[in-house]
Amino acid sequence: MGRRSRSRRLQQQQQQQRPGSAEDGAEDGGKRSGAGWEGGYPEIVKENKLFEHYYQELKIVPEGEWDQFMEALREPLPATLRITGYKRYPEELAWHTNLSRKILRKSPQLEKFHQFLVSETESGNISRQEAVSMIPPLLLNAHPHHKILDMCAAPGSKTTQLIEMLHADMSVPFPEGFVIANDVDNKRCYLLVHQAKRLSSPCIMVVNHDASCIPRLQMDVNGKKEILFYDRILCDVPCSGDGTMRKNIDVWKKWSTLNSLQLHGLQLRIATRGAEQLVEGGRMVYSTCSLNPIEDEAVIASLLEKSEGALELADVSSELPGLKWMPGLTQWKVMTKDGQWFAAWDDVPHSRHTQIRPTMFPPKDPEKSQAMHLERCLRILPHHQNTGGFFVAVLVKKSSMPWNKRPPKLQGESAEPRGPVQPGPADPMGRSVSHPLELESKPAAGISDTEATERAENLENNENKKDGVCGPPPSKKMKLFGFKEDPFVFIPEDDPLFPPIQKFYALGPSFPKMNLLTRTVEGKRRQLYMVSKELRNVLLNNSERVKVINTGVKVWCRNNSGEEFDCAFRLAQEGIYTLYPFINSRIVTVSMEDVKILLTQENPFFRKLSSEAYGQVKDMAKGSVVLKYEPDPTKPDTLQCPIVLCGWRGKASIRTFVPKNERLHYLRMMGLEVLAEKKKEGAVPTSESAASPGAPEDKAGAEQGAE
């Protein structure tokens, strides 16, 4: 207990020290401390005179609405949730309650509902996400073919939204697009992995880098190495988080303008890096959960100014018709932490130049300011729709950034400055973050000698590596502390491991076996994963430049006694929807009653199934099977969505390999609730390892249940 308590206390201290971000995240895993008003803090007076003075002076709230604004900030934030958008549910995909998160967790009357929320969230069917946090992915307007970068992604609720957009058509197992989700915090990357895994997508990769200098990646395009430019970029930057006062009550006493002044430079560097990696015609959404123009309009104005027309603010006023928002500010002032105001950079004394920067002020030139259309930014105020405070700006890239348009340099020519670099305090940990602006490589433009050398070195490194092995960067390049990651190893085309799998499941010729990978260079491979061909391309071409934490979806697991069967690998439930379109054998069509029996009984004998299902399994060889339920449109009272489950055909019985929460989900959809009955005879067990140790005919399958 001592070690656990110390670890928990250290974690809380780290969270409190880390500035906020626009992501509200999972219920207890946001980018700031998830405790807030419901977390056991001593009573905090919800007043801060400097906060009120600052925002009244800036006039961010319409005339006559200040009291409503402050009253809303003092009320607990209502709980909201989002239903996974691609799983064929009704159109009402986001729900807002009038209950706080504390009431949901603590009220005895709502215990069953809270258990339902926890279970469905773990299954990936629900995401518990603040309402305003859902806005940036919606305005990103992502489609299944888009290459997407989420620059500051943890804990991942926005990332899951983006994954849902990729899989808008569930009949396509491998969309052309992908999501690369990045976070600077190594530990929080694993929270991000957990969130993303709930959606079981082969099109997500989690990486660990400082977003302000995230590496530029390459892809192989028709045999040539080309720079990867993203179609969509989500730039949800670390922020002071004063829009989250309703759930993070400690912001009331800790608020000052110092956080905004310190974060402005980092936010601008991250946004600039995102703009560099955006494809021409692409869309980038910049967002914060701060109301402060130093973190909001000032960053956007500075980015637009130095882009020299390469970027433009999009008018998205009609894209979310139900949303109430205030237009962005066009004029604002800068205030120090002790309350001193400055209206222009020229007024700032030299002694303040390390704290206050020119980019924090509005553009001097009225014409230039008007051409920026800062009013197109969206500022969401808490009292307008009972939400948190938020800021969003949507940028479209018209051409390359100006410092990326230089002609190629001759060999030996001295290096020139690579464009404007924003000085000032650095990242949330107080470190100075450099900003290496790389030259964009386009067919019509040359490349610098630095990048040409870099390409040659990468090509040489890749050729020296084992075929299909994508390891982590060398240790000398790993500047962040964290867990050591195993390499990604793609299964060679002639690997003897694959033909038995292909034969056993009668995989179709279109099955992309080159996309299969493991995390083991040597020794027995226990898990097989799949990625899309586009992510395979990214992995193979960038293993030395990017720190990959996780990617792909698990599709097969090795049986402990696999040699006894025709195939040593059983199907994994998390990857079944990816695999199912390619499987042509060992599919058992089951009725709704069969599904109920399979999900509520440990090892039902074949005879307990319907005659149709019994006829299919009785002559089947032992091993992994697919259990498929197809809805009957002529029976509208029955479940009208298809279900695909992984099962195991034993000697005389059959069982499912489905995690507990997913089991409960399917049973709920069929009108059964088993939480209160789980201790009764024959009820569903509380873990995935459902087989009884006393069932020797199914021992080989049962041993795999706990994996």
Side-chain angles (χ1 to χ4, degrees):
M1 284 298 293
R3 183 188 300 172
R4 191 173 297 174
S5 298
R6 286 195 301 272
S7 175
R8 189 182 299 116
R9 189 160 54 248
L10 178 62
Q11 223 171 20
Q12 289 172 347
Q13 289 171 355
Q14 290 173 340
Q15 287 176 333
Q16 289 167 6
Q17 290 167 1
R18 188 178 189 271
S21 164
E23 179 75 78
D24 84 306
E27 180 165 330
D28 291 311
K31 288 192 176 177
R32 296 158 299 277
S33 171
W37 60 272
E38 76 275 43
Y41 280 97
E43 187 64 31
I44 292 177
V45 178
K46 296 178 180 177
E47 285 188 10
N48 187 308
K49 294 301 181 186
L50 194 62
F51 172 88
E52 293 195 43
H53 169 66
Y54 182 69
Y55 282 121
Q56 280 181 314
E57 183 72 20
L58 291 179
K59 295 181 171 58
I60 67 162
V61 178
E63 192 77 28
E65 295 184 19
W66 183 259
D67 289 344
Q68 297 100 297
F69 169 72
M70 291 303 298
E71 186 179 338
L73 282 178
R74 293 187 177 103
E75 289 294 317
L77 189 69
T80 51
L81 59 91
R82 181 172 50 77
I83 298 171
T84 301
Y86 63 77
K87 295 196 173 182
R88 301 177 185 175
Y89 290 94
E91 289 301 314
E92 293 81 11
L93 297 181
W95 293 80
H96 171 116
T97 75
N98 290 322
L99 304 171
S100 68
R101 293 187 298 169
K102 180 180 181 180
I103 292 174
L104 277 178
R105 283 208 298 263
K106 304 295 184 183
S107 172
Q109 295 90 337
L110 296 171
E111 181 183 2
K112 192 173 179 181
F113 179 55
H114 185 250
Q115 289 176 344
F116 160 80
L117 289 179
V118 171
S119 173
E120 293 294 337
T121 299
E122 203 57 33
S123 297
N125 301 305
I126 285 176
S127 289
R128 303 171 73 180
Q129 181 180 3
E130 187 179 342
V132 289
S133 173
M134 303 176 194
I135 295 170
L138 293 174
L139 290 176
L140 207 57
N141 192 26
H143 294 283
H145 63 281
H146 283 151
K147 299 173 179 65
I148 306 170
L149 173 64
D150 190 348
M151 299 188 77
C152 309
S157 56
K158 293 184 183 72
T159 308
T160 59
Q161 265 184 283
L162 298 173
I163 295 171
E164 291 171 32
M165 293 173 181
L166 286 183
H167 292 275
D169 184 353
M170 275 294 284
S171 65
V172 180
F174 295 101
E176 290 181 34
F178 55 77
V179 176
I180 293 179
N182 173 71
D183 201 84
V184 67
D185 189 316
N186 183 271
K187 289 182 180 178
R188 292 170 60 78
C189 281
Y190 292 91
L191 177 59
L192 180 56
V193 169
H194 173 75
Q195 287 278 63
K197 274 191 170 183
R198 297 181 305 123
L199 272 67
S200 302
S201 171
C203 305
I204 170 73
M205 179 189 292
V206 176
V207 301
N208 179 203
H209 288 277
D210 181 341
S212 66
C213 49
I214 189 169
R216 191 184 295 285
L217 304 184
Q218 297 178 347
M219 291 186 74
D220 189 297
V221 181
N222 298 323
K224 289 185 177 181
K225 295 285 179 69
E226 292 191 5
I227 297 295
L228 168 58
F229 291 99
Y230 299 95
D231 303 295
R232 298 288 187 267
I233 294 180
L234 181 57
C235 189
D236 183 50
V237 296
C239 66
S240 64
D242 61 15
T244 71
M245 284 177 150
R246 300 183 68 178
K247 64 177 180 178
N248 295 318
I249 195 172
D250 56 329
V251 176
W252 282 96
K253 64 177 183 179
K254 293 182 178 179
W255 186 91
S256 83
T257 58
L258 184 60
N259 286 339
S260 296
L261 298 176
Q262 289 178 331
L263 283 164
H264 170 87
L266 173 67
Q267 292 162 338
L268 181 54
R269 289 194 296 275
I270 293 174
T272 303
R273 190 60 176 155
E276 290 177 318
Q277 301 212 18
L278 188 64
V279 74
E280 288 184 26
R283 178 177 278 207
M284 181 173 85
V285 171
Y286 175 90
S287 60
T288 76
C289 54
S290 169
L291 300 172
N292 199 323
I294 306 304
E295 304 177 61
D296 298 340
E297 288 91 346
V299 173
I300 296 300
S302 179
L303 183 61
L304 289 170
E305 186 167 18
K306 67 180 181 177
S307 80
E308 298 178 7
L311 298 174
E312 141 182 322
L313 269 171
D315 182 356
V316 294
S317 56
S318 62
E319 293 190 17
L320 295 176
L323 180 66
K324 294 179 183 177
W325 52 277
M326 296 298 298
L329 302 179
T330 55
Q331 290 296 321
W332 61 88
K333 297 183 290 182
V334 177
M335 188 179 83
T336 62
K337 68 174 181 177
D338 51 6
Q340 186 178 2
W341 289 95
F342 297 104
W345 168 248
D346 295 339
D347 302 335
V348 181
H350 192 269
S351 61
R352 298 275 190 178
H353 281 190
T354 56
Q355 184 185 74
I356 298 175
R357 303 299 305 154
T359 54
M360 297 177 181
F361 294 90
K364 283 184 180 179
D365 186 344
E367 287 187 12
K368 186 180 290 186
S369 177
Q370 189 175 3
M372 288 182 179
H373 293 292
L374 291 175
E375 72 280 356
R376 292 178 178 175
C377 300
L378 314 182
R379 178 177 271 99
I380 292 96
L381 299 179
H383 65 294
H384 283 165
Q385 284 178 295
N386 197 13
T387 65
F390 211 71
F391 175 86
V392 190
V394 181
L395 295 152
V396 175
K397 190 171 183 179
K398 297 297 187 181
S399 62
S400 294
M401 301 298 277
W403 53 88
N404 297 142
K405 295 178 180 177
R406 302 193 311 265
K409 291 187 296 182
L410 298 175
Q411 289 291 334
E413 189 178 345
S414 62
E416 297 176 352
R418 289 188 165 198
V421 177
Q422 173 64 31
D427 65 10
M429 306 305 289
R431 298 168 299 202
S432 177
V433 180
S434 61
H435 182 53
L437 300 178
E438 297 181 61
L439 188 67
E440 288 185 3
S441 175
K442 305 180 75 64
I447 62 170
S448 68
D449 52 0
T450 304
E451 189 161 304
T453 304
E454 182 181 317
R455 285 190 181 188
E457 289 174 351
N458 287 333
L459 186 61
E460 183 179 352
N461 287 337
N462 287 339
E463 287 176 349
N464 289 337
K465 291 173 68 66
K466 294 180 181 178
D467 289 342
V469 178
C470 305
S475 57
K476 65 181 180 181
K477 290 186 179 180
M478 295 176 67
K479 298 178 182 178
L480 299 171
F481 295 101
F483 299 102
K484 177 175 170 59
E485 292 299 325
D486 294 324
F488 295 87
V489 185
F490 285 93
I491 305 296
E493 194 166 0
D494 58 351
D495 196 306
L497 171 146
F498 183 69
I501 297 176
Q502 187 171 32
K503 181 180 179 182
F504 191 71
Y505 297 102
L507 299 177
S510 62
F511 179 76
K513 61 182 179 181
M514 293 296 288
N515 299 353
L516 278 177
L517 58 86
T518 67
R519 301 296 298 270
T520 309
V521 179
E522 298 174 354
K524 185 175 284 190
R525 290 166 288 192
R526 302 196 59 81
Q527 318 281 357
L528 298 183
Y529 303 85
M530 284 204 80
V531 293
S532 64
K533 68 176 183 180
E534 287 78 13
L535 274 190
R536 180 182 190 273
N537 195 334
V538 172
L539 277 167
L540 287 175
N541 286 289
N542 299 282
S543 61
E544 296 298 324
R545 67 177 69 220
V546 64
K547 183 182 178 185
V548 180
I549 300 297
N550 200 280
T551 191
V553 59
K554 183 163 65 176
V555 287
W556 278 294
C557 307
R558 182 181 289 274
N559 297 314
N560 288 340
S561 304
E563 290 74 16
E564 299 176 16
F565 307 99
D566 293 336
C567 178
F569 287 86
R570 68 167 177 86
L571 298 164
Q573 181 66 28
E574 52 260 62
I576 192 59
Y577 286 97
T578 299
L579 278 185
Y580 179 73
F582 304 100
I583 296 175
N584 295 300
S585 177
R586 305 195 60 81
I587 299 173
V588 180
T589 304
V590 292
S591 67
M592 197 165 88
E593 287 304 315
D594 291 330
V595 175
K596 290 179 182 177
I597 290 170
L598 289 163
L599 292 178
T600 56
Q601 297 185 25
E602 292 188 1
N603 283 293
F605 289 106
F606 298 154
R607 287 291 184 187
K608 288 193 175 183
L609 302 177
S610 63
S611 58
E612 291 81 2
Y614 173 77
Q616 296 171 69
V617 300
K618 64 182 179 68
D619 296 324
M620 208 177 259
K622 287 197 294 184
S624 194
V625 294
V626 178
L627 303 164
K628 178 67 185 290
Y629 165 77
E630 285 285 0
D632 186 347
T634 65
K635 298 178 180 177
D637 293 338
T638 60
L639 185 63
Q640 288 298 302
C641 65
I643 295 177
V644 183
L645 306 174
C646 292
W648 184 268
R649 196 271 193 208
K651 185 177 180 181
S653 64
I654 195 164
R655 58 158 299 192
T656 55
F657 278 106
V658 181
K660 171 193 167 185
N661 289 321
E662 199 162 340
R663 245 175 228 268
L664 299 178
H665 167 72
Y666 290 127
L667 290 171
R668 283 190 196 104
M669 291 205 304
M670 293 182 288
L672 294 180
E673 183 59 69
V674 296
L675 282 174
E677 301 175 355
K678 61 185 179 184
K679 293 183 180 179
K680 294 183 179 179
E681 185 178 354
V684 62
T686 56
S687 70
E688 186 184 348
S689 185
S692 166
E697 68 272 20
D698 286 336
K699 183 179 178 183
E703 288 174 345
Q704 302 307 309
E707 286 189 353

